[in-house]
Amino acid sequence: MIPRRVILERLHRLIQEGRPIIGTGAGTGITAKFEEEGGSDLIIIYNSGRFRMAGRGSMSGLMPYGDANAIVMEMAGEILPVVKRTPVLAGVCGTDPFRSMPRFLKQVQEAGFSGVQNFPTVGLYDGRFRANLEETGISYDQEVEMIRLARELDLLTTPYCFTHDEARKMAAAGADIVVAHVGTTTSGSIGAQTTMSLEEAAAAVQGICDGARAVNPDIIVICHGGPIAEPEDAAFILKHTTGVQGFYGASSAERLPVERAVAEHIRKFTSLSLK
């Protein structure tokens, strides 16, 4: 576990040097190991990473295919021992009705995690279903409260926010980094097809950034998801927004590179000729 103060000092130093913060999701130990070698600043693990690296879509993490909080604690045993220098954060399901969140967050901290993110999150739902979740006590405000509790434990907090108002709530709860989420990542074999344009994503990210900064002018804001799938996409968002200081990639950091690298490597074998 790396202290929150030390992490924030590192990240602010990078920003002052003009280098964006890069966070990456890891669903396996080998992914985490080589994300660290590549220079990732933060590594986040949550249940969708396991599903993603098993060949299923990231949205599987929002379905009843397993206990999200139990899965992330199980993943800790695979991933935490192979990461030597980089802060590793846990994706915590803040709406879990079967856990005492203050107690669970202490378990997360004791396991060696340096911080938390709110995942699975009801923020990815919309329409009538989202309204019904909120009406029946499964709410984004519970995730805000989870972030507040984690901040009290001095864990690094990097919540997903989907709207201007959600960003304001998370900033008020003491979030260190707001991750402006613009939807499930596109591209690859199991990426989303329905998404916004990069121009629309830039406007959405800016709105989330502005919401967070209205509460805390010093908060760090990074972008994630939707059409922001490749390094050049992230560069576009950073160029066309003000105050956005980095990028967080999950599918972009592990699924897409693995899909391409494995397929290309096997093609080299299958192109061999017998003597």
Side-chain angles (χ1 to χ4, degrees):
M1 176 182 171
I2 302 174
R4 171 179 168 272
R5 174 187 56 79
V6 172
I7 300 169
L8 288 173
E9 286 175 357
R10 288 185 192 174
L11 299 182
H12 282 293
R13 192 178 310 120
L14 289 175
I15 293 168
Q16 290 169 2
E17 293 170 356
R19 205 270 264 169
I21 294 164
I22 303 299
T24 53
T28 65
I30 195 167
T31 299
K33 183 176 182 178
F34 286 94
E35 285 175 350
E36 180 171 62
E37 183 169 314
S40 181
D41 302 307
L42 301 167
I43 294 173
I44 304 93
I45 69 175
Y46 46 78
N47 68 331
S48 270
R50 170 165 290 183
F51 291 122
R52 182 165 51 239
M53 298 311 286
R56 278 71 175 181
S58 297
M59 296 297 282
S60 297
L62 300 178
M63 299 298 288
Y65 303 150
D67 179 339
N69 284 330
I71 288 171
V72 79
M73 295 301 279
E74 183 180 325
M75 293 170 72
E78 176 181 348
I79 293 173
L80 289 173
V82 300
V83 178
K84 306 303 181 185
R85 305 174 304 279
T86 310
V88 180
L89 282 55
V92 174
C93 180
T95 60
D96 188 342
F98 298 101
R99 282 177 172 79
S100 163
M101 199 49 58
R103 185 176 303 158
F104 180 65
L105 288 172
K106 288 179 181 178
Q107 293 171 356
V108 166
Q109 191 172 45
E110 290 165 2
F113 287 104
S114 298
V116 298
Q117 186 171 65
N118 56 323
F119 195 89
T121 170
V122 300
L124 279 167
Y125 294 113
D126 55 19
R128 182 179 297 176
F129 185 64
R130 170 67 179 273
N132 290 164
L133 287 173
E134 297 279 350
E135 290 162 357
T136 54
I138 304 171
S139 69
Y140 189 82
D141 283 348
Q142 289 177 285
E143 299 175 26
V144 175
E145 175 64 8
M146 182 274 288
I147 292 297
R148 187 189 68 78
L149 291 169
R151 179 69 178 79
E152 287 184 355
L153 290 173
D154 207 31
L155 287 162
L156 188 76
T157 51
T158 69
Y160 279 140
C161 297
F162 303 83
T163 68
H164 180 278
D165 289 343
E166 289 173 357
R168 289 181 65 95
K169 288 182 178 181
M170 285 298 191
D176 297 303
I177 302 171
V178 157
V179 183
H181 197 310
V182 292
T184 303
T185 303
T186 60
S187 302
S189 64
I190 50 176
Q193 301 300 313
T194 303
T195 189
M196 60 183 72
S197 67
L198 276 171
E199 291 79 8
E200 291 169 330
V205 168
Q206 189 67 66
I208 295 167
C209 178
D210 292 346
R213 292 271 166 73
V215 175
N216 178 4
D218 298 321
I219 199 168
I220 296 171
V221 180
I222 64 178
C223 59
H224 170 72
I228 319 171
E230 305 290 348
E232 53 268 31
D233 300 329
F236 180 94
I237 300 297
L238 296 176
K239 181 178 179 180
H240 291 86
T241 54
T242 300
V244 178
Q245 298 155 319
F247 168 72
Y248 167 56
S251 292
S252 303
E254 59 174 355
R255 175 175 64 81
L256 297 179
V258 167
E259 287 181 359
R260 295 164 186 165
V262 172
E264 180 59 28
H265 196 61
I266 299 305
R267 287 189 191 104
K268 290 179 181 178
F269 281 110
T270 58
S271 66
L272 299 175
S273 300
L274 294 174
K275 185 175 180 180

